[in-house]
Amino acid sequence: MIATISCAALMGIDAFPVSLEVDFSRSGLPAFTMVGLPDGAVREAKERVYSALKNAGFKLPPARVTVNLAPADVRKEGSAYDMPLAVGLLAASGALPEEAVQGWYFAGELSLTGELKSVTGVLPLAVTARDQGARGLIVPTDNAGEAAVVDGLAVYGMDTLGDAVRFLTGEESREPEAVDVDTLWAGRETFFEDFSEVKGQEHAKRAIEIAAAGAHNLLFIGPPGSGKTMLSQRIPTVLPPLGFDEALEVTKIYSVAGRLREDASLMVTRPFRSPHHTISDIGLIGGGRYPQPGEVSLAHRGVLFLDELPEFKKNALEVLRQPLEDGRVSISRSLVSLAYPADFMLVAAMNPCPCGYMTDEHHSCSCSPLAVQRYRAKLSGPLLDRIDLHVDVPAVPYDDLRQERGSVDSATMRARITEARQRQAERFRGSRTSVNAQLSGSALEEYCRLDAQGHGFLESAVKTLGLSARAYTRILRIARTIADLDAASAIAVNHLAEAINYRTLDRQE
């Protein structure tokens, strides 16, 4: 007898339907064969499933079993095929009625005792099951909340294989898993950090407001202890809230990577990722023998913070260039080619010199000019070309430290930033551009027009400061965002002047 069970396989952060076909034949010598490009974990499912069936009280007669995972030309990975295989064996052997399993999607890992363990990638699997018109989805209890976020799909969480079988045969009735998305959504405005806790550094706060308003990448340059990390950690508190589709996309990434917290069915706040400078290029960009999302994808729709930027390996920094330009990561291997989303705001921090104290009035710098030059040369021109704002962050004076609170809180900053983003959304409606940081070519010329006075001022600045063509483009983008924050339709001289102040490294070239 042949039974067909519906399940799914992951491809990037999405899933595609897989038919698990089980041919259970009593003729011939007992044997077990699995085809359809299964990886090691899938092939090992046989041992787990047979032990789980035996210990759960199901006895299968000796038989020649052939399992096919269709489509057969795409590699299948992971342990989520355990439950579909177990259900398929029961249906093919006649222990489960064929009609009882039709229309259901299954996913879950089995222990040797028959208990169901959580697996990764259940959210994209649930989306695929809904799109395929599934009768419902049966998953381990630990995955049920994550899958139930998908509207229009009945999700049932099971603790054991026996529970699943009794539910399918009608011996037990269960209510589908319910998740209160509105309650989860209310938590997206809850932050444990606030810019009111940052004393002083008004120039840096203003730069953050501009960067967040236009989705510009940002580089802080300052001595140790000046507050670069503290400032960066609070940037998610001023970014516009996630939309539901954005939250679902971020949750998919964390689900596939196995990084979704057990108590979090949906990622409702923008992620903040801060990898250590010893990270490898694969850890940063993603990939591996069996490709997984890297830090740039885990920071999708949020902030990627790289502290001590020059200390990162050069090849790790250079692989950032594609996602910074395209908003996604393409990974090609001999067996598969994948694309992971990676649309993030890059925030980086570095010292002005190897010892860190070149710009600190209270400490003497021990670095030679050659050492400073070598230190800064670790950052390539193409990488710096993708960072719009370079901001000096000096040591905080004592008078600022003695203040009870900072001058502005996150809610005030977020309100101004959200208004500026709305102006950009209206301006770019119907085009491929969505924020000022993406302006280039003809769009830059159209939306960043200057009057005669503005051209004269910028020409003088370019000649006096020796600014490059790269800096010219960045200044126009930043000035456009500053004008949006001021609710100004045209870029004025004061907007250009402020923008030039945020190109520290260009002025030192």
Side-chain angles (χ1 to χ4, degrees):
M1 180 178 177
I2 296 178
T4 301
I5 306 299
S6 296
C7 50
L10 295 175
M11 181 70 74
I13 67 165
D14 295 312
F16 61 91
V18 170
S19 295
L20 188 148
E21 301 168 336
V22 180
D23 182 10
F24 195 92
S25 175
R26 299 291 299 274
S27 62
L29 295 174
F32 184 95
T33 305
M34 182 180 287
V35 296
L37 286 184
D39 76 342
V42 181
R43 288 195 300 270
E44 291 172 356
K46 171 199 169 185
E47 308 302 331
R48 292 191 297 270
V49 167
Y50 273 96
S51 293
L53 288 170
K54 180 187 68 174
N55 292 320
F58 300 102
K59 295 182 179 179
L60 297 181
R64 176 179 291 274
V65 177
T66 303
V67 178
N68 178 43
L69 298 166
D73 59 344
V74 182
R75 190 174 183 83
K76 319 302 187 305
E77 302 172 359
S79 58
Y81 299 96
D82 287 10
M83 182 158 63
L85 177 57
V87 173
L89 287 169
L90 291 173
S93 65
L96 260 177
E98 185 178 357
E99 62 273 10
V101 299
Q102 288 181 347
W104 291 97
Y105 269 67
F106 300 87
E109 179 183 333
L110 281 170
S111 71
L112 299 183
T113 61
E115 294 180 357
L116 286 169
K117 297 183 177 182
S118 63
V119 292
T120 60
V122 167
L123 180 58
L125 188 155
V127 172
T128 297
R130 180 198 61 187
D131 294 345
Q132 294 296 315
R135 184 176 172 184
L137 173 65
I138 297 178
V139 293
T141 299
D142 290 342
N143 290 126
E146 172 190 344
V149 171
V150 178
D151 190 31
L153 177 70
V155 176
Y156 296 88
M158 303 292 171
D159 293 319
T160 67
L161 177 61
D163 292 341
V165 172
R166 286 188 290 273
F167 171 75
L168 290 169
T169 56
E171 296 178 35
E172 290 184 5
S173 61
R174 288 174 178 258
E175 291 297 320
E177 186 77 13
V179 172
D180 189 348
V181 176
D182 291 337
T183 300
L184 293 174
W185 211 238
R188 66 181 180 157
E189 300 294 338
T190 303
F191 295 100
F192 299 102
E193 297 169 329
D194 196 278
F195 270 102
S196 62
E197 300 165 343
V198 180
K199 301 173 183 179
Q201 301 298 11
E202 303 306 321
H203 179 65
K205 291 178 189 175
R206 172 64 174 171
I208 288 172
E209 189 171 310
I210 295 168
H216 302 284
N217 298 319
L218 174 65
L219 173 62
F220 288 129
I221 306 167
S226 58
K228 302 186 295 294
T229 301
M230 186 178 187
L231 287 162
S232 302
Q233 289 172 339
R234 283 156 179 75
I235 291 178
T237 69
V238 301
L239 293 173
L242 281 173
F244 183 78
D245 290 341
E246 291 179 318
L248 204 61
E249 190 176 24
V250 173
T251 308
K252 277 185 179 181
I253 298 171
Y254 278 73
S255 175
V256 168
R259 301 292 188 92
L260 196 63
R261 298 198 322 266
E262 291 183 3
D263 60 340
S265 301
L266 185 69
M267 295 283 293
V268 295
T269 57
R270 295 188 182 272
F272 179 88
R273 304 295 301 181
S274 179
H276 192 261
H277 62 77
T278 57
I279 191 171
S280 66
D281 53 347
I282 291 178
L284 187 61
I285 206 73
R289 183 180 179 187
Y290 301 116
Q292 286 286 308
E295 290 292 334
V296 296
S297 295
L298 295 172
H300 182 62
R301 303 296 185 191
V303 175
L304 177 66
F305 176 54
L306 303 183
D307 200 4
E308 304 294 343
L309 186 64
E311 301 302 326
F312 282 79
K313 297 174 184 176
K314 192 173 183 64
N315 60 331
L317 291 179
E318 292 307 307
V319 295
L320 285 174
R321 289 158 58 178
Q322 186 216 356
L324 286 173
E325 194 73 26
D326 301 335
R328 66 188 184 93
V329 173
S330 298
I331 299 171
S332 297
R333 296 291 182 268
S334 59
L335 296 175
V336 67
S337 294
L338 301 174
Y340 292 115
D343 186 4
F344 57 90
M345 177 180 170
L346 175 64
V347 179
M350 62 179 287
N351 295 330
C353 64
C355 78
Y357 295 112
M358 189 173 74
T359 59
D360 193 338
E361 298 177 356
H362 306 290
H363 295 82
S364 59
C365 175
S366 60
C367 303
S368 66
L370 182 59
V372 175
Q373 183 180 4
R374 286 176 177 170
Y375 177 73
R376 296 192 176 182
K378 293 180 179 180
L379 306 179
S380 68
L383 177 62
L384 290 176
D385 187 35
R386 289 162 172 79
I387 301 178
D388 286 352
L389 285 83
H390 311 152
V391 183
D392 283 323
V393 184
V396 183
Y398 180 77
D399 288 343
D400 289 339
L401 290 174
R402 62 184 294 183
Q403 295 176 3
E404 291 186 5
R405 293 178 68 83
S407 59
V408 64
D409 60 14
S410 294
T412 302
M413 294 175 66
R414 184 167 61 247
R416 293 198 292 256
I417 289 166
T418 301
E419 289 178 4
R421 286 283 186 104
Q422 290 171 349
R423 293 187 185 96
Q424 293 168 61
E426 293 173 4
R427 179 189 305 126
F428 303 133
R429 184 176 287 114
S431 69
R432 298 177 62 182
T433 304
S434 58
V435 288
N436 290 333
Q438 298 171 349
L439 284 171
S440 62
S442 59
L444 185 72
E445 295 177 1
E446 180 180 355
Y447 298 116
C448 298
R449 289 178 179 154
L450 304 179
D451 56 19
Q453 187 180 8
H455 275 298
F457 176 82
L458 189 53
E459 181 182 6
S460 175
V462 168
K463 291 179 179 179
T464 303
L465 300 175
L467 300 177
S468 64
R470 172 181 78 201
Y472 169 82
T473 301
R474 267 50 185 182
I475 288 169
L476 287 179
R477 289 178 179 173
I478 299 166
R480 179 66 266 173
T481 301
I482 296 171
D484 287 338
L485 286 168
D486 289 348
S489 58
I491 298 174
V493 169
N494 62 304
H495 301 144
L496 292 169
E498 184 176 2
I500 291 171
N501 284 328
Y502 299 120
R503 298 296 300 178
T504 298
L505 294 184
D506 287 315
R507 299 200 307 270
Q508 293 176 356
E509 288 180 355

